Amino acid sequence: MKINKIIIATVCVLILALGYWLLSPLWRNTRLNEEAPIIDTGTATVSTTDTTVAQKDTVVSPATVITKASGVFKGFDKLHNGTGTVNLISNSKETYIRFESDFSVTNGPDLYVGFGKDGKYIESAELARLKGNQGSQNYLVPSTVDLSQYNEVWIWCKAFSVPFARA
């Protein structure tokens, strides 16, 4: 009898913990305000008669950032909704997915940023866990990713294999 009460109490605690994990994102928001990425062009090296000195005060023109593509997030239904602007930006060295300050998506328990093509999410093209469900944020696209293979950016819930938004 006593063991049954312990088992029931343990099961109830586990159910409550799981319920909180699943539902708490619905009332919690994480807002970010990341600056647009700028590539550090490094330090200039100046040779003197005997020594090479790295100078950190050298004025170097910033890298030019080019917007390669742009889109607007749309949700899938009332529960899985997203809005805001996303840009694919690049400079001479790196490419980023940038969510602008108007970005917002319904929060979820296990959200990731990735690529898709023609309405289909491609799990192998996942970039990173979503940093926050609101505000500007940047995601580095690895140089090994062939961007010509994709035409969409997705917010995807891995825990339940459910789409939240795509642009």
Side-chain angles (χ1 to χ4, degrees), residues 84-138:
T85 308
V86 59
N87 292 308
L88 178 65
I89 60 174
S90 182
N91 56 34
S92 61
K93 295 183 181 183
E94 295 174 319
T95 301
Y96 289 87
I97 295 295
R98 171 146 175 90
F99 298 171
E100 298 301 337
S101 60
D102 63 346
F103 169 73
S104 180
V105 68
T106 306
N107 209 349
D110 196 26
L111 299 182
Y112 280 77
V113 177
F115 290 111
K117 182 161 182 133
D118 300 331
K120 184 174 182 199
Y121 179 69
I122 301 172
E123 194 171 337
S124 63
E126 221 164 64
L127 292 178
R129 181 180 281 275
L130 185 69
K131 297 175 187 177
N133 67 310
Q134 297 176 345
S136 57
Q137 45 203 290
N138 307 302

Coordinates of all heavy atoms in Angstrom, one line a residue, residues 84-138:
G84 N 8.0 38.1 -39.4 CA 9.2 38.9 -39.4 C 10.1 38.6 -40.6 O 9.8 37.7 -41.3
T85 N 11.1 39.4 -40.7 CA 12.0 39.4 -41.8 C 13.2 38.5 -41.5 O 13.8 38.6 -40.4 CB 12.5 40.8 -42.1 OG1 11.3 41.6 -42.3 CG2 13.3 40.9 -43.4
V86 N 13.7 37.8 -42.5 CA 14.9 37.0 -42.5 C 15.7 37.4 -43.7 O 15.2 37.5 -44.8 CB 14.7 35.5 -42.4 CG1 13.9 35.0 -43.6 CG2 16.0 34.8 -42.2
N87 N 17.0 37.6 -43.5 CA 17.9 37.9 -44.6 C 19.1 36.9 -44.7 O 19.6 36.5 -43.6 CB 18.5 39.3 -44.5 CG 17.5 40.4 -44.7 OD1 16.7 40.3 -45.6 ND2 17.4 41.3 -43.7
L88 N 19.5 36.6 -45.8 CA 20.7 35.8 -46.0 C 21.8 36.8 -46.4 O 21.7 37.5 -47.5 CB 20.6 34.8 -47.2 CG 21.8 34.0 -47.5 CD1 22.2 33.0 -46.4 CD2 21.5 33.1 -48.8
I89 N 22.7 37.1 -45.5 CA 23.7 38.1 -45.7 C 25.1 37.5 -45.8 O 25.4 36.4 -45.2 CB 23.7 39.2 -44.6 CG1 24.0 38.6 -43.2 CG2 22.4 39.9 -44.6 CD1 24.1 39.6 -42.1
S90 N 26.0 38.2 -46.5 CA 27.3 37.6 -46.7 C 28.3 38.8 -46.9 O 28.0 39.9 -47.3 CB 27.3 36.8 -48.0 OG 28.6 36.2 -48.2
N91 N 29.5 38.5 -46.5 CA 30.6 39.4 -46.8 C 31.7 38.6 -47.5 O 31.4 37.4 -47.9 CB 31.1 40.1 -45.6 CG 31.5 39.1 -44.5 OD1 32.1 38.1 -44.8 ND2 31.3 39.4 -43.3
S92 N 32.9 39.0 -47.5 CA 33.9 38.3 -48.3 C 34.3 37.0 -47.7 O 34.9 36.1 -48.3 CB 35.2 39.2 -48.4 OG 35.7 39.5 -47.1
K93 N 33.9 36.7 -46.4 CA 34.4 35.5 -45.7 C 33.3 34.6 -45.3 O 33.5 33.4 -45.3 CB 35.3 35.9 -44.5 CG 36.6 36.6 -44.9 CD 37.4 36.9 -43.7 CE 38.7 37.6 -44.1 NZ 39.5 37.8 -43.0
E94 N 32.2 35.1 -44.8 CA 31.2 34.3 -44.1 C 29.8 34.6 -44.6 O 29.5 35.7 -45.0 CB 31.3 34.4 -42.6 CG 32.6 33.9 -42.1 CD 32.8 34.1 -40.6 OE1 32.4 35.2 -40.1 OE2 33.2 33.2 -39.9
T95 N 28.9 33.7 -44.4 CA 27.5 33.9 -44.7 C 26.6 33.6 -43.5 O 26.9 32.7 -42.7 CB 27.0 32.9 -45.9 OG1 27.8 33.2 -47.0 CG2 25.6 33.1 -46.2
Y96 N 25.6 34.4 -43.3 CA 24.8 34.3 -42.1 C 23.3 34.3 -42.5 O 22.9 35.0 -43.5 CB 25.0 35.5 -41.1 CG 26.3 35.5 -40.4 CD1 27.4 36.1 -41.0 CD2 26.4 35.0 -39.2 CE1 28.6 36.1 -40.4 CE2 27.7 35.0 -38.5 CZ 28.8 35.6 -39.1 OH 30.0 35.6 -38.5
I97 N 22.5 33.7 -41.7 CA 21.1 33.9 -41.7 C 20.8 34.9 -40.6 O 21.3 34.7 -39.5 CB 20.3 32.6 -41.4 CG1 20.5 31.5 -42.4 CG2 18.8 32.8 -41.2 CD1 20.0 31.9 -43.8
R98 N 20.1 36.0 -40.9 CA 19.9 37.0 -40.0 C 18.4 37.3 -39.8 O 17.7 37.6 -40.8 CB 20.5 38.3 -40.4 CG 20.1 39.5 -39.5 CD 21.2 40.5 -39.3 NE 20.7 41.7 -38.6 CZ 20.7 41.8 -37.3 NH1 21.2 40.8 -36.5 NH2 20.2 42.9 -36.7
F99 N 17.9 37.1 -38.6 CA 16.5 37.4 -38.3 C 16.5 38.9 -37.8 O 17.3 39.2 -36.9 CB 16.0 36.5 -37.1 CG 15.9 35.1 -37.4 CD1 15.6 34.2 -36.4 CD2 16.2 34.6 -38.7 CE1 15.6 32.8 -36.7 CE2 16.1 33.2 -39.0 CZ 15.8 32.3 -38.0
E100 N 15.7 39.7 -38.4 CA 15.7 41.1 -38.0 C 14.8 41.3 -36.8 O 14.2 40.4 -36.2 CB 15.1 41.9 -39.2 CG 16.0 41.8 -40.5 CD 17.4 42.3 -40.3 OE1 17.7 43.1 -39.4 OE2 18.3 41.8 -41.1
S101 N 14.8 42.5 -36.3 CA 14.2 42.9 -35.0 C 12.7 42.6 -35.0 O 12.1 42.4 -33.9 CB 14.5 44.3 -34.6 OG 13.9 45.2 -35.6
D102 N 12.1 42.5 -36.1 CA 10.6 42.2 -36.2 C 10.3 40.7 -36.1 O 9.1 40.3 -36.2 CB 10.0 42.9 -37.4 CG 10.5 42.3 -38.7 OD1 11.6 41.6 -38.7 OD2 9.9 42.5 -39.8
F103 N 11.3 39.9 -36.0 CA 11.1 38.4 -35.9 C 10.4 38.0 -34.6 O 10.7 38.5 -33.6 CB 12.4 37.7 -36.0 CG 12.3 36.2 -35.7 CD1 11.8 35.4 -36.6 CD2 12.8 35.7 -34.5 CE1 11.7 34.0 -36.3 CE2 12.7 34.4 -34.2 CZ 12.1 33.5 -35.1
S104 N 9.4 37.1 -34.8 CA 8.7 36.6 -33.7 C 8.1 35.2 -34.1 O 7.6 35.1 -35.2 CB 7.6 37.5 -33.2 OG 6.9 36.9 -32.1
V105 N 8.3 34.2 -33.2 CA 7.7 32.9 -33.5 C 7.1 32.4 -32.1 O 7.6 32.7 -31.1 CB 8.7 31.9 -34.0 CG1 9.8 31.6 -33.0 CG2 8.1 30.7 -34.6
T106 N 6.0 31.6 -32.2 CA 5.5 31.0 -31.0 C 6.6 30.2 -30.4 O 7.3 29.4 -31.1 CB 4.3 30.1 -31.4 OG1 3.3 30.8 -32.1 CG2 3.7 29.5 -30.2
N107 N 6.8 30.3 -29.1 CA 7.8 29.5 -28.5 C 7.4 28.0 -28.4 O 6.3 27.7 -28.4 CB 8.1 30.1 -27.1 CG 9.6 29.8 -26.7 OD1 10.3 29.1 -27.3 ND2 9.9 30.5 -25.6
G108 N 8.4 27.2 -28.4 CA 8.2 25.8 -28.3 C 9.3 25.1 -27.5 O 10.3 25.7 -27.2
P109 N 9.2 23.8 -27.3 CA 10.1 23.1 -26.4 C 11.5 22.8 -27.0 O 12.4 22.6 -26.3 CB 9.4 21.8 -26.0 CG 8.4 21.6 -27.2 CD 8.1 22.9 -27.7
D110 N 11.6 22.7 -28.3 CA 12.9 22.2 -28.9 C 13.0 22.8 -30.3 O 13.1 22.0 -31.3 CB 12.8 20.7 -28.9 CG 14.1 20.0 -29.2 OD1 15.2 20.6 -28.8 OD2 14.2 18.9 -29.7
L111 N 13.1 24.1 -30.4 CA 13.1 24.8 -31.7 C 14.5 24.9 -32.3 O 15.4 25.3 -31.6 CB 12.4 26.1 -31.6 CG 11.0 26.1 -31.2 CD1 10.4 27.5 -31.2 CD2 10.1 25.2 -32.0
Y112 N 14.6 24.7 -33.6 CA 15.8 24.8 -34.4 C 15.6 25.6 -35.6 O 14.5 25.7 -36.2 CB 16.3 23.4 -34.8 CG 17.0 22.7 -33.6 CD1 16.3 22.1 -32.6 CD2 18.4 22.6 -33.6 CE1 16.9 21.5 -31.5 CE2 19.1 22.0 -32.5 CZ 18.3 21.5 -31.5 OH 19.0 20.9 -30.4
V113 N 16.7 26.1 -36.1 CA 16.8 26.9 -37.4 C 17.4 26.0 -38.4 O 18.5 25.4 -38.2 CB 17.6 28.2 -37.2 CG1 17.7 28.9 -38.5 CG2 17.0 29.1 -36.1
G114 N 16.8 25.9 -39.6 CA 17.4 25.1 -40.6 C 16.8 25.5 -42.0 O 16.1 26.5 -42.1
F115 N 17.2 24.7 -43.0 CA 16.8 25.0 -44.4 C 15.8 24.0 -44.9 O 15.8 22.9 -44.4 CB 18.1 25.0 -45.3 CG 19.0 26.1 -45.1 CD1 20.3 25.9 -44.5 CD2 18.7 27.4 -45.4 CE1 21.2 26.9 -44.3 CE2 19.6 28.5 -45.2 CZ 20.8 28.2 -44.7
G116 N 15.1 24.4 -45.9 CA 14.2 23.6 -46.5 C 14.1 23.9 -48.0 O 14.8 24.8 -48.5
K117 N 13.4 23.1 -48.7 CA 13.2 23.4 -50.2 C 11.8 23.0 -50.6 O 11.3 21.9 -50.3 CB 14.2 22.6 -51.0 CG 14.1 22.9 -52.5 CD 15.4 22.5 -53.2 CE 15.2 22.8 -54.7 NZ 16.3 23.5 -55.2
D118 N 11.2 23.9 -51.3 CA 9.9 23.7 -51.9 C 8.8 23.2 -50.9 O 8.1 22.2 -51.2 CB 10.0 22.8 -53.1 CG 10.9 23.4 -54.2 OD1 11.0 24.7 -54.2 OD2 11.5 22.7 -54.9
G119 N 8.8 23.7 -49.7 CA 7.8 23.3 -48.7 C 8.2 22.1 -47.9 O 7.3 21.6 -47.1
K120 N 9.4 21.6 -48.0 CA 9.8 20.5 -47.2 C 11.1 20.8 -46.4 O 12.0 21.3 -46.9 CB 10.1 19.3 -48.1 CG 10.5 18.0 -47.3 CD 10.7 16.9 -48.2 CE 11.0 15.7 -47.3 NZ 11.6 14.6 -47.9
Y121 N 11.0 20.6 -45.0 CA 12.1 20.8 -44.2 C 13.1 19.7 -44.4 O 12.8 18.5 -44.5 CB 11.6 20.8 -42.7 CG 12.7 21.0 -41.7 CD1 13.4 22.2 -41.6 CD2 13.2 20.0 -40.9 CE1 14.4 22.4 -40.7 CE2 14.2 20.2 -40.0 CZ 14.8 21.4 -39.9 OH 15.8 21.6 -39.0
I122 N 14.4 20.1 -44.4 CA 15.5 19.1 -44.6 C 16.3 19.0 -43.4 O 17.1 19.9 -43.0 CB 16.4 19.5 -45.8 CG1 15.5 19.6 -47.1 CG2 17.5 18.6 -46.0 CD1 16.1 20.2 -48.3
E123 N 16.1 18.0 -42.6 CA 16.7 17.8 -41.3 C 18.2 17.9 -41.3 O 18.8 18.4 -40.4 CB 16.2 16.5 -40.7 CG 16.5 16.4 -39.2 CD 15.8 15.2 -38.5 OE1 14.8 14.7 -39.1 OE2 16.3 14.8 -37.5
S124 N 18.8 17.4 -42.4 CA 20.3 17.4 -42.5 C 20.8 18.8 -42.7 O 22.0 19.0 -42.6 CB 20.7 16.4 -43.6 OG 20.3 16.9 -44.8
A125 N 20.0 19.7 -42.9 CA 20.4 21.1 -43.2 C 20.1 22.0 -42.0 O 19.9 23.2 -42.1 CB 19.7 21.7 -44.4
E126 N 20.1 21.4 -40.8 CA 19.9 22.2 -39.6 C 21.1 23.0 -39.2 O 22.2 22.5 -39.3 CB 19.6 21.2 -38.5 CG 18.5 21.6 -37.5 CD 18.1 20.3 -36.7 OE1 18.9 19.8 -36.0 OE2 16.9 19.9 -36.9
L127 N 20.9 24.3 -38.8 CA 22.0 25.2 -38.5 C 22.3 25.2 -37.0 O 23.4 25.0 -36.6 CB 21.7 26.6 -38.9 CG 21.6 26.8 -40.4 CD1 21.3 28.3 -40.7 CD2 23.0 26.5 -41.0
A128 N 21.2 25.4 -36.2 CA 21.5 25.6 -34.7 C 20.1 25.6 -34.0 O 19.1 25.8 -34.6 CB 22.3 26.9 -34.5
R129 N 20.2 25.5 -32.7 CA 19.1 25.7 -31.8 C 18.7 27.2 -31.9 O 19.5 28.0 -32.0 CB 19.4 25.3 -30.4 CG 18.2 25.5 -29.4 CD 18.6 25.1 -28.0 NE 18.6 23.6 -27.8 CZ 17.6 22.9 -27.5 NH1 16.4 23.5 -27.4 NH2 17.7 21.6 -27.3
L130 N 17.4 27.4 -32.0 CA 16.9 28.8 -32.0 C 17.3 29.5 -30.7 O 17.1 29.0 -29.6 CB 15.3 28.8 -32.1 CG 14.7 30.2 -32.2 CD1 15.0 30.8 -33.6 CD2 13.2 30.1 -32.1
K131 N 17.9 30.7 -30.8 CA 18.5 31.4 -29.6 C 17.4 32.1 -28.8 O 17.5 32.1 -27.6 CB 19.5 32.5 -30.1 CG 20.7 31.9 -30.8 CD 21.5 33.0 -31.3 CE 22.7 32.6 -32.2 NZ 23.4 33.7 -32.7
G132 N 16.4 32.6 -29.5 CA 15.3 33.2 -28.8 C 14.1 33.3 -29.8 O 14.3 33.2 -31.0
N133 N 12.9 33.4 -29.2 CA 11.7 33.4 -30.1 C 11.3 34.8 -30.6 O 10.3 34.9 -31.3 CB 10.6 32.7 -29.4 CG 10.0 33.4 -28.2 OD1 10.7 33.8 -27.3 ND2 8.7 33.6 -28.2
Q134 N 12.1 35.8 -30.2 CA 11.8 37.2 -30.6 C 13.1 37.9 -30.8 O 14.1 37.7 -30.1 CB 10.9 37.9 -29.6 CG 9.6 37.3 -29.3 CD 8.8 38.0 -28.2 OE1 9.4 38.8 -27.5 NE2 7.5 37.8 -28.2
G135 N 13.1 38.9 -31.8 CA 14.2 39.8 -32.0 C 15.2 39.4 -32.9 O 15.2 38.3 -33.5
S136 N 16.2 40.3 -33.1 CA 17.3 40.0 -34.1 C 18.3 39.0 -33.6 O 18.7 39.0 -32.4 CB 17.9 41.4 -34.4 OG 18.4 42.0 -33.3
Q137 N 18.7 38.2 -34.5 CA 19.7 37.2 -34.2 C 20.4 36.7 -35.4 O 19.8 36.8 -36.5 CB 19.1 36.0 -33.4 CG 17.7 35.5 -33.9 CD 16.9 34.8 -32.9 OE1 17.3 33.7 -32.5 NE2 15.8 35.4 -32.5
N138 N 21.6 36.1 -35.3 CA 22.4 35.7 -36.4 C 22.8 34.2 -36.3 O 23.1 33.7 -35.2 CB 23.7 36.5 -36.4 CG 23.4 38.0 -36.4 OD1 22.7 38.5 -37.3 ND2 24.0 38.7 -35.4

